[in-house]
Amino acid sequence: MQRESWDVIIVGGGSAGLSAALMLVRARRRVLVLDGGAPRNGVAAHMHGVLGRDGWSPLELLELGREEVARYGGAVRTADVASAESLDDTSSGDAPGFTVTLATGERLVARRLLVATGLRDELPGLPGLAEHWGTGAVVCPYCDGWEVRDRRIGVLTTGPRSVHQVQLLRQWSPSVTFFTNGAPTADEDVAAMLARGIVIEPRAWASVTADEAGRLSGIRLADGTAVALDAIFLGPSPVPNDGLLTGLGAATAPAFGDGDWVGIDPTGRTSVPGVWAAGNVVNPGASVPIAAGAGNLAGAAINADLVEEEIRTALAG
Ligand SMILES: Cc1cc2nc3c(=O)[nH]c(=O)nc-3n(C[C@H](O)[C@H](O)[C@H](O)COP(=O)(O)OP(=O)(O)OC[C@H]3O[C@@H](n4cnc5c(N)ncnc54)[C@H](O)[C@@H]3O)c2cc1C
């Protein structure tokens, strides 16, 4: 097998992965992006807060990104990566290298690896919710709040940060209801919500309802009461798609109040030499511009790391 078929393999072709790829191909690196084709915001028709592309389809943005990477000779393939391993190849001296195995069994080799595989949003078990995820039921006020300004907004309790989320949404509408599903709310939080006109609904929830056109229409409570809503906001549990990183031995630590996350330095470098990570896989709060910025920085850092390796090789003669 050829030792250096690619300078960099990037797993994940969302905003983070494609931004890194663009930096690397423009630095004349041989880059392969392997992408499963399921970006986190692929469920949404429009994205917002993305300068210059506000209101675009997320999928259109990524299509444009793939074209830009290809324009400089980068390769983008639709493929699921099953595993990645450090090369056990003493001929390469100290230089790291990796084999990446696709779900099909095909194996590929690269000098550096960037993992930009995003995260999964685990929704609470409320019947009907999943059907509206990304359309009527959403996570981010800055992404979707403007579109439902002054409308009837419901916020589902999913954890301690829901109290912050409901107060944020009061910025977009005076008609906000906090659905606690019977969970206790601290006295000071109740007082702060009532002071800003937020309605607290403590009854158990039963399902999300839809109108005849299939659009979200509200929440049915366990006692049969129907509460009409125009949008639901919630904070799903973010689960990083970091199996490739942990499989390589990348160090993790408790972070973001949601379990263990792979740790990175400011450029996206993990604890495994030669392995970088960017975007939602290491930062659940990364919006499209933040994920793109992290990929941009990681791409430049990977190129610099390759240059360092090339200096060592040149000096060794
Ligand atoms: C409903 C919703 C709406 C949103 N709206 C906005 C918005 O309006 N504005 C905004 O800025 N942000 C928005 N976001 C956030 C946005 O989705 C993220 O910021 C962005 O997707 C992060 O980019 P990423 O590259 O890290 O991950 P992703 O975009 O999720 O890309 C990861 C890619 O990796 C691939 N992948 C995963 N595992 C593998 C594997 N093993 N092998 C190969 N490929 C793999 C996936 O298929 C996917 O294509 C929204 C999120 C949600 C859930």
Side-chain angles (χ1 to χ4, degrees), residues 79 95 137 141 181 266 278 315:
N181 196 31
L315 286 172

Side-chain angles (χ1 to χ4, degrees), residues 11-17 34-41 43-44 46-50 62 79-82 116-119 121 133-134 137-139 143-144 241 244 278-281 286-289 291:
V11 188
S15 305
L34 299 166
D35 182 46
R40 181 181 174 210
N41 56 350
V43 291
H46 307 282
M47 59 181 188
H48 295 281
V50 181
L62 299 182
D80 284 316
V81 174
T117 44
L119 64 75
D121 291 288
W133 177 238
V138 289
V139 57
C143 305
D144 297 297
N241 298 322
L244 297 176
N280 275 168
V281 68
S287 62
V288 167

Side-chain angles (χ1 to χ4, degrees), residues 141-160:
Y142 299 97
C143 305
D144 297 297
W146 171 266
E147 283 61 41
V148 291
R149 63 195 182 282
D150 294 330
R151 310 283 291 278
R152 298 162 301 181
I153 294 174
V155 175
L156 305 185
T157 306
T158 54

Side-chain angles (χ1 to χ4, degrees), residues 135-194:
T135 51
V138 289
V139 57
C140 162
Y142 299 97
C143 305
D144 297 297
W146 171 266
E147 283 61 41
V148 291
R149 63 195 182 282
D150 294 330
R151 310 283 291 278
R152 298 162 301 181
I153 294 174
V155 175
L156 305 185
T157 306
T158 54
R161 283 171 295 181
S162 299
V163 170
H164 172 63
Q165 191 181 33
V166 76
Q167 286 285 7
L168 267 188
L169 280 153
R170 179 63 186 79
Q171 169 64 17
W172 277 269
S173 175
S175 176
V176 179
T177 304
F178 189 53
F179 292 84
T180 72
N181 196 31
T185 309
D187 289 346
E188 64 268 27
D189 294 331
V190 170
M193 286 183 216
L194 296 179

Side-chain angles (χ1 to χ4, degrees), residues 61-317:
L61 179 79
L62 299 182
E63 182 56 38
L64 188 63
R66 284 192 289 271
E67 285 171 22
E68 287 173 346
V69 169
R71 200 179 298 158
Y72 294 97
V76 184
R77 282 179 59 183
T78 301
D80 284 316
V81 174
S83 63
E85 292 171 349
S86 291
L87 274 176
D88 184 15
D89 180 358
T90 47
S91 66
S92 61
D94 290 338
F98 304 91
T99 51
V100 166
T101 305
L102 306 187
T104 56
E106 185 182 349
R107 288 158 72 87
L108 300 154
V109 179
R111 298 167 67 192
R112 298 291 183 275
L113 196 59
L114 170 67
V115 177
T117 44
L119 64 75
R120 302 184 296 283
D121 291 288
E122 270 189 6
L123 303 177
L126 173 58
L129 182 63
E131 288 85 330
H132 298 281
W133 177 238
T135 51
V138 289
V139 57
C140 162
Y142 299 97
C143 305
D144 297 297
W146 171 266
E147 283 61 41
V148 291
R149 63 195 182 282
D150 294 330
R151 310 283 291 278
R152 298 162 301 181
I153 294 174
V155 175
L156 305 185
T157 306
T158 54
R161 283 171 295 181
S162 299
V163 170
H164 172 63
Q165 191 181 33
V166 76
Q167 286 285 7
L168 267 188
L169 280 153
R170 179 63 186 79
Q171 169 64 17
W172 277 269
S173 175
S175 176
V176 179
T177 304
F178 189 53
F179 292 84
T180 72
N181 196 31
T185 309
D187 289 346
E188 64 268 27
D189 294 331
V190 170
M193 286 183 216
L194 296 179
R196 298 186 77 217
I198 294 169
V199 175
I200 301 174
E201 176 48 76
R203 286 174 285 181
W205 59 49
S207 64
V208 173
T209 55
D211 64 17
E212 286 176 0
R215 284 185 302 259
L216 181 145
S217 62
I219 288 184
R220 189 172 306 284
L221 302 174
D223 68 3
T225 305
V227 183
L229 296 170
D230 298 301
I232 292 174
F233 284 74
L234 67 148
S237 296
V239 182
N241 298 322
D242 61 5
L244 297 176
L245 293 167
T246 55
L248 283 159
T252 62
F256 311 114
D258 285 296
D260 287 349
W261 290 71
V262 169
I264 51 169
D265 80 358
T267 72
R269 188 194 298 258
T270 71
S271 64
V272 182
V275 179
W276 269 256
N280 275 168
V281 68
V282 285
N283 178 5
S287 62
V288 167
I290 295 172
N296 176 290
L297 192 54
I302 292 170
N303 181 54
D305 193 52
L306 287 168
V307 168
E308 289 298 323
E309 180 186 312
E310 286 150 8
I311 293 169
R312 287 194 298 275
T313 304
L315 286 172

